[in-house]
Amino acid sequence: MGVSVPTTVCVRALLFASYAEVVGRGAVTLTLTAPATVRSALWELRRLPGGERLPERPLVAVNHTHAALDTPLSPNDEVAILPPLAGG
Amino acid sequence: MGVSVPTTVCVRALLFASYAEVVGRGAVTLTLTAPATVRSALWELRRLPGGERLPERPLVAVNHTHAALDTPLSPNDEVAILPPLAGG
Amino acid sequence: MPFLTTAPLDLSRLVAEVTAPARGGIACFLGVVRDHHGGRSVASLEYSAYEPMAEIECRRIVAEARARWHAEVALEHRVGQLAIGDAAVAIAAAAPHRDAAFAACRYVIEEVKRRVPIWKRERFADGTEGWVDPTQEGGWSDHRVDRVVPQPAPGDAEWGV
Amino acid sequence: MPFLTTAPLDLSRLVAEVTAPARGGIACFLGVVRDHHGGRSVASLEYSAYEPMAEIECRRIVAEARARWHAEVALEHRVGQLAIGDAAVAIAAAAPHRDAAFAACRYVIEEVKRRVPIWKRERFADGTEGWVDPTQEGGWSDHRVDRVVPQPAPGDAEWGV
């Protein structure tokens, strides 16, 4: 009996502020080919209508922590694409 | 007719905090030989009972402005001998 | 206590939270909504946040300042609609001596600006609007949309305040 | 408004005095009476001042900070009897940006400590007293007198509060 290897990773992607406006929505569920990274999630988001206006190297976070484009994604992770921060 | 040259300068000297305690008073009127400086006022103050405990080079002020020991004194000036400052 | 709030900020309450007999210095900072940005007249603005992450980052920043300067630190950031002159962020940092209090206070405001996911949409006196982008020349996003934007779909809980 | 007061300090009022729509950053400082000094337990303390000169120096310091950083600055120093935890000095400095606000606030507290003729007499938990001397090892004056000292003669107007 072989071990079942999942071939896809399902994650929740969040878009905020100006990035939510250009894509027209704040949350998208993505099904990515394993192994998945933030970069592969961003690649899918940039294929959405308006998504071509997302930058190639935005700030990103995974599960509420700042992350990098090559941060790996696990099933049900929350990946957030963050416009330039303007708090304070 | 010659010009009258005053030979003495009368000033008001103030002592504060620990310096007032060692001399036992907060204000002294001093009659100094002209030309007078802060140093000559301090010299007189150090001759008062307890005055020997005043330092030789304290902080000083003349007419509410920080001054030096060789700052000249005019009649009715207010010269203050200031213990180490502890505000703030 | 959450770090984000829609209520007006109260610096006195933050100062009271950090005051203690062993702490002789309290440094504070208030960031206030200005009436001009990039030469344009601002009428009001709205702060939104990725709230769960913003709370976590604020907690981390405060913990870092406490550990590094042996300080007690209180922080609040306002979200939602703000008027000119309203405080958007308030910080109080208390330490035994003033060097540490100032350093901790300064650290917190710098790190809040650098790390906490909060965004600011300005409404200008001429009726247009724009997202503030501190990384861009002029201070607005390339994606700035000079019109009133529809609200996000209801039910999308992750959308910021 | 005088800079010296016997009333409790109110940072909120100072902040309100300096707040304006063009000033986005407000840095504040509170100096609070600590319960220990040099390893000894402090029960209370009394600030006294050479009042006319203290007012003049405070006004000069505030004017310098305003000119150098284009800041608006409010300053108060309390005199008389203070309890542990009371604020002895309060500063609010507002400027268009936070760098200037922090710099102006820091300048004012450093110059107040360096230039304003104010003295502090500590009453310790063991009943003794001493003048604080920041220039001495241990922090007290060589002229420290560990007893209750008679008040200055009435009518000597220059004696501090």
Side-chain angles (χ1 to χ4, degrees):
Chain A
M1 298 188 296
V3 175
S4 164
V5 178
T7 55
T8 60
V9 176
C10 189
V11 302
R12 181 169 171 80
L14 302 181
L15 296 156
F16 294 92
S18 59
Y19 294 173
E21 284 184 5
V22 301
V23 176
R25 54 212 284 201
V28 184
T29 298
L30 299 175
T31 302
L32 308 171
T33 304
T37 65
V38 173
R39 187 178 282 103
S40 44
L42 181 62
W43 178 264
E44 291 300 319
L45 291 169
R46 296 186 81 227
R47 292 175 59 195
L48 295 173
E52 73 282 356
R53 295 178 65 193
L54 296 175
E56 288 186 35
R57 306 185 60 79
L59 280 178
V60 296
V62 175
N63 299 334
H64 309 131
T65 298
H66 286 289
L69 288 182
D70 55 5
T71 298
L73 294 179
S74 302
N76 302 314
D77 276 354
E78 182 173 291
V79 56
I81 313 299
L82 309 176
L85 308 183
Chain B
M1 298 188 294
V3 176
S4 164
V5 178
T7 56
T8 60
V9 177
C10 189
V11 302
R12 182 170 168 79
L14 302 181
L15 296 155
F16 294 92
S18 59
Y19 295 173
E21 285 184 5
V22 301
V23 176
R25 54 211 285 200
V28 183
T29 298
L30 300 175
T31 303
L32 308 171
T33 305
T37 64
V38 173
R39 186 178 282 104
S40 45
L42 181 63
W43 178 265
E44 290 300 321
L45 291 170
R46 297 187 80 225
R47 293 175 58 197
L48 295 173
E52 74 283 354
R53 295 179 66 191
L54 296 175
E56 289 186 34
R57 306 185 59 79
L59 279 179
V60 296
V62 174
N63 299 334
H64 310 131
T65 298
H66 287 289
L69 288 181
D70 55 4
T71 298
L73 293 179
S74 303
N76 302 315
D77 275 354
E78 182 172 293
V79 57
I81 314 297
L82 310 175
L85 309 182
Chain C
M1 286 289 295
F3 294 98
L4 271 53
T5 174
T6 56
L9 303 185
D10 180 357
L11 183 60
S12 300
R13 190 174 55 71
L14 299 190
V15 167
E17 279 178 25
V18 301
T19 300
R23 301 189 195 110
I26 305 175
C28 311
F29 181 75
L30 282 172
V32 173
V33 176
R34 289 196 293 158
D35 57 356
H36 278 77
H37 180 210
R40 300 183 69 184
S41 182
V42 176
S44 72
L45 48 71
E46 184 169 1
Y47 281 91
S48 58
Y50 177 18
E51 288 203 33
M53 180 177 171
E55 291 287 347
I56 289 169
E57 279 298 323
C58 285
R59 191 163 67 228
R60 286 176 179 143
I61 291 165
V62 165
E64 289 160 8
R66 281 183 180 140
R68 183 159 163 192
W69 288 283
H70 305 287
E72 188 54 69
V73 177
L75 162 67
E76 279 195 339
H77 201 299
R78 196 165 165 197
V79 289
Q81 289 282 342
L82 274 73
I84 305 302
D86 282 351
V89 61
I91 299 162
H97 296 284
R98 67 188 183 285
D99 278 348
F102 273 108
C105 185
R106 193 68 200 254
Y107 178 81
V108 170
I109 184 59
E110 299 304 326
E111 293 301 296
V112 164
K113 286 178 171 282
R114 199 172 72 82
R115 290 160 52 182
V116 178
I118 293 178
W119 299 278
K120 180 161 63 172
R121 187 170 178 81
E122 291 180 331
R123 296 167 206 271
F124 298 102
D126 61 10
T128 62
E129 302 190 1
W131 292 102
V132 175
D133 179 355
T135 69
Q136 291 292 313
E137 188 84 26
W140 293 284
S141 170
D142 282 343
H143 302 299
R144 168 175 156 209
V145 184
D146 278 348
R147 57 180 172 78
V148 176
V149 168
Q151 291 303 301
D156 192 344
E158 278 75 23
W159 188 282
V161 176
Chain D
M1 288 287 296
F3 294 99
L4 270 55
T5 175
T6 56
L9 304 185
D10 180 357
L11 182 61
S12 299
R13 189 173 57 70
L14 300 190
V15 168
E17 279 179 25
V18 302
T19 300
R23 301 188 196 111
I26 306 174
C28 311
F29 181 74
L30 282 172
V32 173
V33 175
R34 288 195 293 158
D35 57 356
H36 277 77
H37 180 210
R40 299 184 68 185
S41 181
V42 177
S44 72
L45 47 72
E46 183 168 3
Y47 282 91
S48 58
Y50 177 17
E51 287 203 33
M53 179 175 171
E55 291 287 347
I56 289 169
E57 279 297 323
C58 285
R59 191 163 66 229
R60 286 177 178 143
I61 291 166
V62 165
E64 290 160 8
R66 281 184 180 138
R68 182 160 164 191
W69 288 282
H70 306 287
E72 188 53 71
V73 177
L75 162 67
E76 278 195 341
H77 201 298
R78 195 164 165 196
V79 289
Q81 288 283 343
L82 274 73
I84 305 301
D86 282 352
V89 61
I91 299 162
H97 295 283
R98 68 188 183 284
D99 278 347
F102 273 109
C105 185
R106 192 67 199 256
Y107 178 81
V108 170
I109 183 60
E110 299 303 327
E111 293 302 294
V112 164
K113 286 178 170 282
R114 200 171 71 84
R115 291 158 53 181
V116 178
I118 293 177
W119 299 279
K120 180 161 63 171
R121 187 171 178 78
E122 292 180 331
R123 296 167 206 270
F124 298 102
D126 62 10
T128 61
E129 302 191 1
W131 292 102
V132 175
D133 180 354
T135 69
Q136 290 294 311
E137 187 85 26
W140 294 284
S141 170
D142 282 344
H143 302 301
R144 168 175 156 209
V145 185
D146 278 348
R147 57 180 172 78
V148 177
V149 169
Q151 291 302 302
D156 190 343
E158 280 74 23
W159 187 283
V161 174

